[in-house]
Amino acid sequence: MLSCPLPGRRAGAGFLSWFVPPALAGQVAREAAAERDAALAAAGQKVPQRRARLLPPWLAVYFTLALCLLARLPYQDALRSLAGDGATGLAVPATTVLTAARRRLGERPLELLFLRVAGQLMPSRDPWARVGGLLVAAWDGTTLKAPATPESTAALGRPRHGGGRKAPAAGKNGKDGKAPPGEGHYPQMRVVALIACGTRALLGAAIGPLADGEQKLAATLTGCLQPGMLLLAGRGFWSLALWQACAATRAHLLRRVKSDIRLPVRQPLPDGSWLSVVNGTREAHLRNMRNANRRSRGSRLPQEQGPLPGDVTVRVIEFLITLACEDGTTRTERYRAVTTLCHGGVNPACRHFSR
């Protein structure tokens, strides 16, 4: 929905209606309006009466989507693009009218629309779309700038910078809208998205303030996971609590982990991988400290390795990646990943990733 395969600069209502039928656009606009009215009524405030406008709510939804596709076009030209060849002689509302319509629409109809249309789209023929019969998905995070308004700054927060930033003059510490020393000017939001690797389609997305970590936002997307999926993630998404929440959906997981996480060999496997356990309980932490003290002292006492309550079995895959540098040299680095695919004979995806 966010990429337009049509030639030229026209989005075309026909193209948008293929993804978003007019009935659906009107439905999400009505649902959002009903939610606003209910919230006003619950707060004891007057519910405004709806009246006919030049740009009805369903068309305001299309207009906002056209702005996403044609971000470089002025408002009126973006609206004309929806009419396609029928735009000749079309009376387009003034820019102020279009701005007011977009403000009245708000973000809730688009959120409801995303929840309706998000999915893997058509089946992909790319070899990485499915592995061993599992739909390969991944999540990752990024940050986006927001307008430097007091409301956005209070809700999202500004990014902090390191030293070397010149302090502003006296009186320029935020009262006039400028950022204080050590902070960026534009507030930023953090976005974590769940994507189908074959079609690049969004399966889910979470948005929060800059202070929210990627793991916190990713935890809100576990409802998008389902059996038959293989979720890939980088080491920044590793936590035992998030791992267990994802595994509870019965989706399979493959996640890179940091080098400081201890993954002792409990059972070697023929392909070179091994089964291990991770445990986030206090008892496991104390046992790791005792074992580390024994190793540092050179103690002859055996390492404590028995099972503990809270043990989670994972399969560890260790692999090497060789990078070719621009100067002609090569660099080889070792990586580790853990997966819920613990038995190579059960699913071909295990054999694929352990090669």
Side-chain angles (χ1 to χ4, degrees):
M1 189 175 64
L2 297 180
S3 61
C4 179
L6 301 180
R9 300 190 301 173
R10 293 179 177 174
F15 170 67
L16 286 178
S17 63
W18 187 55
F19 288 98
V20 184
L24 178 58
Q27 179 183 355
V28 296
R30 289 191 298 272
E31 290 182 9
E35 291 180 3
R36 288 196 299 267
D37 293 347
L40 291 174
Q45 301 181 18
K46 182 180 179 181
V47 178
Q49 294 183 351
R50 310 296 174 192
R51 60 187 180 89
R53 298 184 180 274
L54 292 176
L55 207 68
W58 69 268
L59 186 54
V61 172
Y62 272 7
F63 170 63
T64 305
L65 295 176
L67 293 178
C68 297
L69 293 168
L70 308 169
R72 296 184 180 182
L73 288 186
Y75 274 20
Q76 291 180 317
D77 289 347
L79 184 59
R80 289 191 185 96
S81 72
L82 292 176
D85 296 334
T88 304
L90 179 66
V92 178
T95 301
T96 53
V97 175
L98 299 177
T99 302
R102 185 182 179 188
R103 185 179 296 113
R104 284 193 305 270
L105 182 68
E107 73 279 357
R108 182 57 177 167
L110 301 177
E111 181 181 359
L112 294 174
L113 181 62
F114 174 77
L115 295 176
R116 299 290 202 285
V117 302
Q120 60 175 308
L121 299 180
M122 62 191 70
S124 174
R125 296 182 179 179
D126 293 326
W128 55 81
R130 287 185 174 271
V131 175
L134 300 175
L135 174 67
V136 181
W139 58 25
D140 205 351
T142 187
T143 57
L144 299 174
K145 290 182 180 179
T149 61
E151 295 80 8
S152 296
T153 302
L156 302 176
R158 289 188 172 112
R160 293 187 175 273
H161 302 292
R165 182 182 176 92
K166 183 178 179 180
K172 304 291 186 179
N173 57 357
K175 293 183 178 180
D176 55 358
K178 293 188 177 181
E183 291 188 355
H185 175 65
Y186 290 99
Q188 292 186 2
M189 66 184 76
R190 191 178 302 279
V191 182
V192 173
L194 176 66
I195 303 174
C197 294
T199 60
R200 277 77 165 178
L202 287 176
L203 306 178
I207 301 175
L210 186 63
D212 287 353
E214 291 181 341
Q215 292 185 18
K216 180 178 179 180
L217 294 177
T220 65
L221 297 177
T222 54
C224 301
L225 304 178
Q226 57 187 356
M229 295 177 62
L230 177 62
L231 176 63
L232 312 181
R235 60 181 184 176
F237 288 91
W238 168 257
S239 76
L240 184 57
L242 183 58
W243 177 272
Q244 291 176 306
C246 295
T249 66
R250 297 177 61 191
H252 286 293
L253 313 176
L254 178 65
R255 195 163 302 177
R256 185 185 166 200
V257 294
K258 297 180 180 180
S259 58
D260 59 352
I261 297 179
R262 291 184 53 80
L263 296 170
V265 178
R266 292 296 177 88
Q267 179 184 340
L269 297 177
D271 60 1
S273 62
W274 68 90
L275 297 183
S276 184
V277 294
V278 289
N279 193 317
T281 63
R282 174 176 173 78
E283 185 178 357
H285 176 68
L286 293 176
R287 188 174 73 174
N288 289 336
M289 293 182 60
R290 290 193 298 269
N291 287 337
N293 289 334
R294 290 175 183 177
R295 288 192 300 269
S296 64
R297 297 196 312 266
S299 173
R300 296 182 179 180
L301 293 175
Q303 297 285 300
E304 300 179 28
Q305 297 181 351
L308 289 175
D311 280 350
V312 177
T313 301
V314 296
R315 182 177 186 174
V316 185
I317 303 172
E318 192 173 69
F319 53 96
L320 300 176
I321 294 182
T322 300
L323 305 176
C325 304
E326 294 182 355
D327 58 1
T329 61
T330 59
R331 185 176 76 252
T332 301
E333 298 181 1
R334 186 180 302 273
Y335 294 86
R336 293 186 305 169
V338 294
T339 180
T340 56
L341 297 167
C342 294
H343 303 287
V346 174
N347 196 299
C350 275
R351 295 191 294 270
H352 177 86
F353 284 107
S354 61
R355 283 200 296 264

